[in-house]
Amino acid sequence: MKRTIYSFFKETADKFPENPAIIEEDRTLTFSQLDNMIDAIAAKFYDRQPKAVGIVMHHGAEQIAAMLAVLKSGAFFFTWVPRHG
């Protein structure tokens, strides 16, 4: 298997599914929960093997999951964070 950022994540998620993966102010996601979120996002891609995906969202667990979902699909992503206001 080609060593990718996603493969390193998946290896860690498989070894330590109940360990914290993301700790935010008001919640903690385990590797298992994050892995499930990644799969749910990737399943919504119109094209199952996109070349590029734009991610427009505020920083947080969902953004990390979206980035990893794109990497899982083999594509690259570009991000833009909306201004508060």
Side-chain angles (χ1 to χ4, degrees):
M1 175 181 207
K2 188 190 314 184
R3 301 300 289 174
T4 63
I5 292 170
Y6 178 76
S7 70
F8 283 111
F9 164 80
K10 187 62 175 161
E11 182 179 306
T12 303
D14 289 345
K15 284 183 183 178
F16 308 104
E18 299 309 313
N19 284 13
I22 297 177
I23 300 171
E24 293 182 317
E25 290 181 18
D26 58 345
R27 69 177 173 168
T28 299
L29 291 178
T30 66
F31 278 99
S32 178
Q33 291 169 321
L34 180 57
D35 195 25
N36 289 336
M37 188 182 291
I38 291 165
D39 288 343
I41 292 169
K44 292 181 182 183
F45 290 165
Y46 177 74
D47 182 348
R48 294 289 181 228
Q49 293 183 323
K51 293 182 188 221
V53 177
I55 299 173
V56 180
M57 58 194 322
H58 295 286
H59 293 291
E62 288 78 8
Q63 183 186 39
I64 293 168
M67 292 162 60
L68 286 167
V70 172
L71 295 176
K72 178 180 183 175
S73 74
F76 71 89
F77 61 86
F78 49 96
T79 63
W80 181 73
V81 179
R83 289 186 177 190
H84 294 278

